[in-house]
Amino acid sequence: YRKVSEGLFYPPYVVFKQGQHNGEIVCSLFQDRVYVTSTAYIFNGGTLEEKKVLTAYLNSRLVKYFLFMTSSSWGVEREQLLTNEVLDLPSPFNMLKDDAKERIVSWFDELSRLSSIIPYDEKQISQLEESIEKEFEILFGLTERDITYVHDTLDYNLDLFQNKLSAFGYRRVLDNESLSYGSTLIRSLDSHLTYVEVPVKVTIFNPEVNDPLQMVILYLDVEESGICKGELAEYRTALKRINNYLLSQHSDSVYLKKTIKFYDDNTIYIIKPNQKRFWSNMQAYEDAAAIVNDILNM
């Protein structure tokens, strides 16, 4: 028997589910007495507005990222979150100002109202959730690169971890995703090459469904930077031939598909499998850093 403070269970209180629900973290604010039929953590104390902020924060992508990266049981057994792991999360309250709190509470109340209306207005709900996410990103002073790492880790790494071969990251790259990768690559290279002023031009391609590879070509020290789309037909034959070299046999049943960065004077060819996980914005940052490192070591 453990004596528990009676005041803990007087509503309103925040209930944080110990386990996951369909791969999602679940946290709710209850303003009436409820029975909890599965293991959960109860948070109480502070004002109602602060509890709304806490509920919004614990449901955010930022918290999901922190817990996925630090939880000791995620993927090991039942994927439950321990008390100390939740309490070790960075707190938003130290930086929270009144105007930010008012915005989050206002969006939270509107989300609660919309969630009670059937059918749901999914577009408006998504917009409110995105507004709350951005408020927390500003609160913690996250850079564009930080935000990219958070979103891409959840969209690709966590999805691959949970859904295996049916994950979103295994699908082919779309035209707008190649464009986003190219734009991020240019911005990242520009930030690395700030003091030498080397313009970077990127050529992207839009492979068809059956094309196994995707290619991006970088031109350094050109007249002006930018992105353009290249003709796909002249590259398809070469890419399919290169694919035979990328797929190297390591044993009777194990094959490894590699990626290629080919340097030819001021031109760099980046060739990878035609899968989203290799062409995310996070990968663009990683590729830019690797290219700069290669150049410095040449």
Side-chain angles (χ1 to χ4, degrees), residues 218-238:
L218 275 75
Y219 303 94
L220 302 178
D221 202 16
V222 291
E223 292 184 359
E224 60 180 69
S225 61
I227 300 178
C228 65
K229 293 183 180 180
E231 294 293 332
L232 185 60
E234 60 182 301
Y235 290 97
R236 184 169 296 132
T237 301

Side-chain angles (χ1 to χ4, degrees), residues 16 18 49 71 90 140 146 186 211-212 216 237 244 267 280-281:
F16 187 92
Q18 185 185 42
E49 288 72 23
S71 174
F140 284 102
D146 296 331
I186 289 178
D211 289 322
V216 165
T237 301
N244 295 328
T267 304
S280 65
N281 289 332

Side-chain angles (χ1 to χ4, degrees), residues 101-234:
K101 182 168 69 174
E102 289 175 2
R103 287 193 294 269
I104 294 173
V105 169
S106 174
W107 292 325
F108 183 93
D109 289 339
E110 183 63 12
L111 269 174
S112 299
R113 187 188 71 80
L114 290 174
S115 298
S116 64
I117 301 174
I118 300 176
Y120 300 120
D121 188 340
E122 294 184 3
K123 183 177 180 181
Q124 193 170 356
I125 288 176
S126 296
Q127 289 174 345
L128 288 168
E129 290 174 340
E130 187 62 28
S131 297
I132 293 175
E133 292 286 350
K134 289 182 178 178
E135 193 67 44
F136 285 121
E137 290 167 359
I138 294 171
L139 199 64
F140 284 102
L142 300 187
T143 64
E144 179 185 352
R145 180 168 181 156
D146 296 331
I147 295 169
T148 297
Y149 269 75
V150 170
H151 288 198
D152 284 2
T153 297
L154 296 179
D155 292 341
Y156 295 101
N157 298 33
L158 177 58
D159 187 44
L160 288 168
F161 179 79
Q162 291 180 326
N163 297 315
K164 307 297 187 291
L165 294 177
S166 61
F168 174 75
Y170 283 108
R171 299 179 187 177
R172 64 179 291 269
V173 183
L174 301 179
D175 196 23
N176 65 311
E177 293 166 338
S178 297
L179 186 63
S180 179
Y181 171 90
S183 299
T184 304
L185 190 65
I186 289 178
R187 289 199 307 274
S188 184
L189 285 171
D190 284 343
S191 67
H192 284 294
L193 303 173
T194 301
Y195 299 105
V196 292
E197 297 184 358
V198 178
V200 180
K201 182 180 179 181
V202 172
T203 299
I204 62 174
F205 303 95
N206 185 25
E208 295 183 351
V209 176
N210 296 326
D211 289 322
L213 299 173
Q214 167 68 294
M215 175 190 289
V216 165
I217 305 177
L218 275 75
Y219 303 94
L220 302 178
D221 202 16
V222 291
E223 292 184 359
E224 60 180 69
S225 61
I227 300 178
C228 65
K229 293 183 180 180
E231 294 293 332
L232 185 60
E234 60 182 301

